[in-house]
């Protein structure tokens, strides 16, 4: 039953059990300097090209070749800052990392703060197109193991879905609806 008057000392619990999946955009538009391109060197390794007459310039020489450009370094730094701040909350928590461009892959599932920061720092920029639908699906899979936790997906991206074809935007909405059906809160950044 509710109290007859408001409490003079209201309190809220700051303990929340949560799992967060960060989906990090590594598509070409993140590092592209001269208009839209894939920013890949054409190999399976997908390394950041310094310059290419077809693709233009992608690389910033102020960062490592693995990081490729200052924009991707900003994505990494933002993710690390978020994990560091979120880890100060009380409660059981875990972090997953998905990298995506033309496809998505799970880099880390259910890690702690330190392993998550190590995973983010170890990412190698890939370039490619933008497949939000697959990123959302990979995060949904990563978040499926803890039904009693609040689940969040932070989708860090700079662009519009370009894959899968046909209908990349409709595919993204369909994937987002499935994730929401699993009580995953999606936060686009």
């Amino acid at each position: 039953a509710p109290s007859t008057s408001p409490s003079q000392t209201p309190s809220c619990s700051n303990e929340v059990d949560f799992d967060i999946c960060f989906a990090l955009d590594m598509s070409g538009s993140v590092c592209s300097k001269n208009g839209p391109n894939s920013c890949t060197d054409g190999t399976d390794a997908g390394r950041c090209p310094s310059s290419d007459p077809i693709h233009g310039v992608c690389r910033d020489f102020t960062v490592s070749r693995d990081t490729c450009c200052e924009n991707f370094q900003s994505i990494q730094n933002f993710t690390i800052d978020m994990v560091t701040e979120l880890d100060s909350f009380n409660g059981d928590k875990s972090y997953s990392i998905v990298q995506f461009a033309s496809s998505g892959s799970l880099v880390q599932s259910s890690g702690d703060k330190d392993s998550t920061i190590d995973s983010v720092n170890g990412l190698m920029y890939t370039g490619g197109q933008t497949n939000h639908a697959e990123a959302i699906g990979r995060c949904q899979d990563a978040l499926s193991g803890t039904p009693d936790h609040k689940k969040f997906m932070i989708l860090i991206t700079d662009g519009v879905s370009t894959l899968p074809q046909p209908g990349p935007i409709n595919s993204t909405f369909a994937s987002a609806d499935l994730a929401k059906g699993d009580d995953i809160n999606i936060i686009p950044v």
Side-chain angles (χ1 to χ4, degrees), residues 85-162:
E85 290 302 315
L86 290 166
D87 209 62
S88 67
F89 285 96
N90 293 326
D92 187 30
K93 53 199 156 285
S94 71
Y95 311 97
S96 300
I97 301 292
V98 166
Q99 68 179 44
F100 72 95
S102 298
S103 62
S105 62
L106 181 64
V107 175
Q108 173 184 294
S109 180
S110 299
D112 64 8
K113 177 184 95 169
D114 292 334
S115 66
T116 303
I117 290 171
D118 288 345
S119 292
V120 171
N121 281 327
L123 291 172
M124 290 178 39
Y125 175 81
T126 62
Q129 295 190 51
T130 306
N131 191 335
H132 293 130
E134 193 160 327
I136 292 168
R138 296 284 182 256
C139 273
Q140 181 181 4
D141 292 344
L143 294 169
S144 66
T146 51
D148 57 334
H149 286 194
K150 292 189 183 265
K151 296 180 254 183
F152 300 92
M153 179 187 315
I154 300 179
L155 179 68
I156 304 170
T157 185
D158 74 333
V160 175
S161 300
T162 57

Side-chain angles (χ1 to χ4, degrees), residues 41-64:
D41 66 0
T43 68
D44 288 338
R47 300 285 300 220
C48 176
S50 299
S51 69
D52 178 318
I54 296 171
H55 299 111
V57 176
C58 296
R59 179 144 188 246
D60 290 326
F61 289 94
T62 57
V63 298
S64 73

Side-chain angles (χ1 to χ4, degrees), residues 16 19-20 31 36 39 51 68 75 97 117 119 125 135 145 155 170 175:
V16 176
D19 298 314
I20 296 179
C31 287
C39 281
S51 69
C68 190
I75 290 172
I97 301 292
I117 290 171
S119 292
Y125 175 81
L155 179 68
N170 288 338
S175 290

